[in-house]
Amino acid sequence: MSTWVHPGSWDVIVVGGGHAGSEAALAAARSGCTTLLLTQSVDRIGWMSCNPAIGGVGKSHLVAEIDALGGEMARNTDRAGVHYKWLNRSRGPAVHALRAQCDKLVYATQMRNVIERQPGLTVKQGTVSRLWLDESGTVVGVVTGHDVAFCGTTVVLTAGTFLAAVCHTGQAQEEGGRAGEGAANDLGAQLRAAGVRTKRHKTGTCPRLDRRTVDWAQLRIDPGEAARMSPHGDGPALPQMDCHAAATNLRTHELILSAIDRSPLFSGQIEGSGPRYCPSIEDKVVRYTTRPSHALFLEREGWQTQEVYLSGLSTSLPPDVQVQMVRSIAGLEQAELVRFGYAVEYDTIDPTQLDSSLALPQLPQLLLAGQVNGTSGYEEAAAQGLVAGLSAVGMVRGIAPPIWSRSESYIGVMVDDLVTRGGDEPYRMFTSRAEHRLRLRTGNADLRLTPTGRSLGLVGDAQMQHFETRRSDLERGRVALQNAQLTPTAKTVAVIEATGTGTLRGPIRAADLLKRPKLQWQDVSEILPSEVLSLQTGVMDELVTELRYAGYVEREQVRVARAQRAESVTLAADFDYRAIGGLSTEAIEKLERVRPSNLGQAGRIPGLTAGAMDALAIHIEVRRRRAAGAK
């Protein structure tokens, strides 16, 4: 069969229409580059293959940053959100997290609608079988299984779980990145043949139930909360719905253990590493033998379907065992399974081969984003897609891509973790991964990143106007709180004592009063200045957080400055680590594997000792002084 070359040509070709591909394509097109989104199925653009939810601990920080930069995930979540829930409310505001369950059909339909209406963005259906390389090994496009070649200056590969993918249900196997959709075997083989290091990962999904066969009266109602994922969008567009809570029991666990030899996870059939923080029910029962139950949540997949996602029961046990297991749970005794749970085993690339732009130097003009880089979750994928899309724009224009610092964004934390540390299991974002998390709150994501998004062409006029208004309101509120003096009048004292946070014995600035840890500003609103009360609740919440974190953030800024000094010491891609005396063979191998771009990144390579870092720093300083003396 001869290859037909499509007459069109694009600046950026994005392979895959999942969450990474959607954000990559939109970022490239909104930045002014002609962009082609090439996906296996246009009906599956933005598809939620697993849990129909966006956000969660750490993940909602990524969503807020994508939104602040002009990405689509948060706004699309509000178009499709049907149940919002705040998490970590008992802890400090830096780690508060919002999770939104979505109507999965609406989410995908709305994302497709946004993409199809985006100027400069073309959508085509096709399964990419291989990269199109020129004589020098540079990527110049892609070729589909129908032998159609598309030419592009850069290619962003968001292959998800489809590289050499196999679906497992019990002992049954079928090729595919998810049920009913084929694997990308040739593409994975081409990458391995080019010397790209790969790992084998696995993920799983839960059974889906017919809601008409559930006894809802036996389940605990889990109501949602009034919230929104994007502060500048239109807010939730759909009617809201309740979720329901259930739990496994000892009978459930007995059924699982009795069939554990039929589980592909324990029979040796699956070799890939699964996500530690989202284990299958088989893993949980085997690992936590003394726990009498595990929490489950029933989440409807939308208003247009009767399917219910049984969250917390990820499994790849055989179908007959899944039916027994589900029906052993109170309220599910008569449940009918619409879809069985299954595991997907697939190839990922070792992300330490990537540079900080998510480009793969081994194959020039190629970038990778999403689960193909060894991550888990829609949010991690979308954030990488944004990064890779903007990096592709930089390649096209011959300019340096944006730099994502660990001290300025969770996006920077994730990218640095991937390219520096890699990992043997799917990477998931948590707030604990960010050493500067007090600075990196969802409430100040716009202050940190929206000007950057505007400069990159992603933030439109309406979002920018909303940002300018909010920034002005924050400054006005800061001034008002610093200037307002509260005196111990009978009313003022009574209001403050009613909060249970002490009394007032002398004049105090409103700003200092609000620093009291357990005091809610709403409880003292009647004694606050009118200039403050005119502000929106979100602005006031952010002002209070700023006041309470001010001292910590100032101390953290010292650490940030120290880290930035190390980041400013660059290391060339071809740096000769073998020329450094005092470096062990192990240290040299680690440095050559990661190829850090600066001294700060080198210091974060797992297992690189303090002695090795001292030797590297001394070598660099000696070279610097010699170069200065030569001038």
Side-chain angles (χ1 to χ4, degrees):
M1 183 186 298
S2 60
T3 300
W4 177 65
V5 178
H6 191 281
S9 180
W10 290 268
D11 295 326
V12 180
I13 297 177
V14 177
V15 178
H19 303 281
S22 295
E23 295 291 353
L26 288 169
R30 288 170 177 171
S31 296
C33 285
T34 57
T35 304
L36 170 65
L37 176 59
L38 192 57
T39 183
Q40 273 195 349
S41 171
V42 295
D43 297 322
R44 289 293 186 264
I45 289 174
W47 192 248
M48 293 175 154
S49 304
C50 194
N51 201 327
I54 298 292
V57 177
K59 292 171 175 284
S60 63
H61 288 70
L62 289 174
V63 178
E65 292 180 355
I66 293 167
D67 189 54
L69 286 163
E72 201 63 33
M73 175 168 269
R75 281 177 286 186
N76 207 58
T77 298
D78 286 337
R79 297 184 193 108
V82 293
H83 183 276
Y84 292 76
K85 198 81 171 181
W86 281 103
L87 311 175
N88 269 357
R89 279 301 212 185
S90 63
R91 304 177 64 188
V95 296
H96 290 175
L98 181 62
R99 181 182 183 274
Q101 179 195 340
C102 295
D103 183 313
K104 67 188 299 181
L105 295 177
V106 173
Y107 190 96
T109 301
Q110 291 294 329
M111 185 63 82
R112 178 178 176 180
N113 183 52
V114 169
I115 285 173
E116 289 182 336
R117 291 173 180 269
Q118 175 61 47
L121 176 54
T122 302
V123 178
K124 291 186 181 294
Q125 182 166 298
T127 300
V128 171
S129 61
R130 66 183 188 275
L131 301 169
W132 181 6
L133 310 178
D134 67 10
E135 296 80 3
S136 67
T138 298
V139 176
V140 294
V142 297
V143 182
T144 70
H146 292 123
D147 235 21
V148 179
F150 296 91
C151 180
T153 305
T154 60
V155 172
V156 179
L157 180 60
T158 68
T161 61
F162 283 80
L163 291 186
V166 178
C167 293
H168 301 262
T169 306
Q171 303 305 304
Q173 302 178 38
E174 61 177 339
E175 290 188 355
R178 56 188 171 216
E181 297 184 46
N185 294 323
D186 294 340
L187 184 55
Q190 183 187 23
L191 290 172
R192 287 190 293 273
V196 178
R197 299 189 303 272
T198 61
K199 296 175 179 288
R200 197 71 172 159
H201 281 178
K202 82 94 181 172
T203 189
T205 189
C206 303
R208 272 74 156 185
L209 314 180
D210 185 330
R211 68 179 296 271
R212 295 165 295 190
T213 63
V214 174
D215 184 358
W216 297 99
Q218 293 193 58
L219 306 182
R220 177 174 60 84
I221 296 176
D222 180 32
E225 302 174 49
R228 58 193 300 172
M229 195 65 76
S230 174
H232 61 265
D234 297 327
L238 298 180
Q240 300 297 286
M241 60 174 63
D242 291 330
C243 290
H244 291 75
T248 62
N249 53 57
L250 293 178
R251 174 58 181 157
T252 314
H253 301 177
E254 289 173 2
L255 289 167
I256 292 169
L257 292 173
S258 68
I260 204 70
D261 60 324
R262 300 173 64 195
S263 167
L265 293 174
F266 291 89
S267 67
Q269 182 174 309
I270 292 179
E271 299 177 355
S273 301
R276 181 187 311 182
Y277 303 104
C278 188
S280 69
I281 190 63
E282 299 97 290
D283 282 325
K284 288 189 279 191
V285 169
V286 169
R287 191 182 306 171
Y288 306 110
T289 55
T290 60
R291 291 188 62 172
S293 65
H294 295 278
L296 306 174
F297 290 92
L298 280 75
E299 302 172 337
R300 286 186 59 184
E301 298 214 329
W303 289 109
Q304 305 169 68
T305 176
Q306 298 298 323
E307 277 192 84
V308 176
Y309 186 88
L310 187 50
S311 182
L313 205 74
S314 174
T315 184
S316 55
L317 284 164
D320 61 303
V321 180
Q322 291 192 38
V323 171
Q324 295 178 64
M325 176 177 65
V326 168
R327 291 182 175 176
S328 71
I329 297 165
L332 308 183
E333 293 88 348
Q334 304 299 320
E336 290 290 340
L337 278 65
V338 178
R339 307 187 203 207
F340 295 110
Y342 61 92
V344 184
E345 191 177 20
Y346 57 99
D347 280 353
T348 70
I349 70 130
D350 179 351
T352 60
Q353 297 164 104
L354 304 173
D355 63 26
S356 58
S357 71
L358 298 185
L360 184 64
Q362 291 166 266
L363 293 169
Q365 303 303 106
L366 176 66
L367 303 102
L368 295 100
Q371 284 186 274
V372 71
N373 286 343
T375 61
S376 67
Y378 309 142
E379 304 83 358
E380 291 87 347
Q384 290 175 71
L386 188 72
V387 170
L390 292 171
S391 296
V393 172
M395 282 185 178
V396 170
R397 295 176 178 166
I399 59 176
I403 296 174
W404 308 98
S405 167
R406 295 184 69 93
S407 63
E408 295 300 328
S409 67
Y410 272 83
I411 291 175
V413 171
M414 178 181 63
V415 170
D416 185 68
D417 281 351
L418 291 175
V419 304
T420 304
R421 300 169 179 170
D424 295 325
E425 63 188 39
Y427 178 95
R428 178 175 178 173
M429 177 52 71
F430 288 105
T431 53
S432 58
R433 295 189 187 275
E435 61 271 33
H436 304 297
R437 57 186 169 274
L438 295 185
R439 293 162 48 94
L440 309 180
R441 307 182 298 274
T442 55
N444 69 1
D446 58 340
L447 302 177
R448 292 183 279 116
L449 297 172
T450 295
T452 299
R454 180 68 167 182
S455 69
L456 295 170
L458 304 188
V459 172
D461 292 342
Q463 181 177 349
M464 195 63 190
Q465 181 58 52
H466 180 275
F467 167 73
E468 295 289 4
T469 300
R470 176 172 148 82
R471 183 163 62 177
S472 175
D473 286 347
L474 284 166
E475 184 55 35
R476 180 160 54 90
R478 293 185 193 104
V479 172
L481 290 173
Q482 293 294 338
N483 291 341
Q485 286 280 341
L486 304 176
T487 56
T489 64
K491 177 182 178 180
T492 302
V493 170
V495 168
I496 293 174
E497 289 182 346
T499 67
T501 62
T503 188
L504 185 63
R505 303 189 186 283
I508 188 174
R509 291 185 306 173
D512 293 327
L513 174 66
L514 293 177
K515 289 181 182 179
R516 296 186 180 186
K518 296 183 180 180
L519 187 145
Q520 301 295 318
W521 69 264
Q522 294 91 339
D523 295 335
V524 295
S525 60
E526 60 184 297
I527 62 173
L528 294 177
S530 58
E531 304 96 300
V532 169
L533 297 181
S534 65
L535 301 174
Q536 294 181 357
T537 298
V539 172
M540 273 303 299
D541 289 342
E542 181 58 25
L543 287 172
V544 172
T545 300
E546 285 182 357
L547 289 168
R548 293 178 181 173
Y549 278 9
Y552 300 105
V553 171
E554 286 177 11
R555 289 196 291 273
E556 197 162 271
Q557 186 57 41
V558 176
R559 294 193 292 272
V560 170
R562 189 183 306 127
Q564 288 175 339
R565 287 195 292 272
E567 303 284 339
S568 68
V569 180
T570 59
L571 299 172
D574 59 351
F575 193 98
D576 185 7
Y577 295 103
R578 297 181 182 275
I580 303 176
L583 278 186
S584 67
T585 301
E586 181 185 6
I588 292 171
E589 289 175 352
K590 290 178 182 295
L591 288 162
E592 289 182 336
R593 185 181 184 89
V594 174
R595 286 287 167 188
S597 60
N598 57 67
L599 193 61
Q601 185 185 359
R604 294 188 292 274
I605 297 175
L608 202 63
T609 65
M613 285 302 301
D614 288 342
L616 179 57
I618 291 170
H619 180 81
I620 292 170
E621 179 62 17
V622 169
R623 285 181 55 178
R624 186 192 68 78
R625 292 183 179 181
R626 286 176 180 170
K631 295 179 182 178

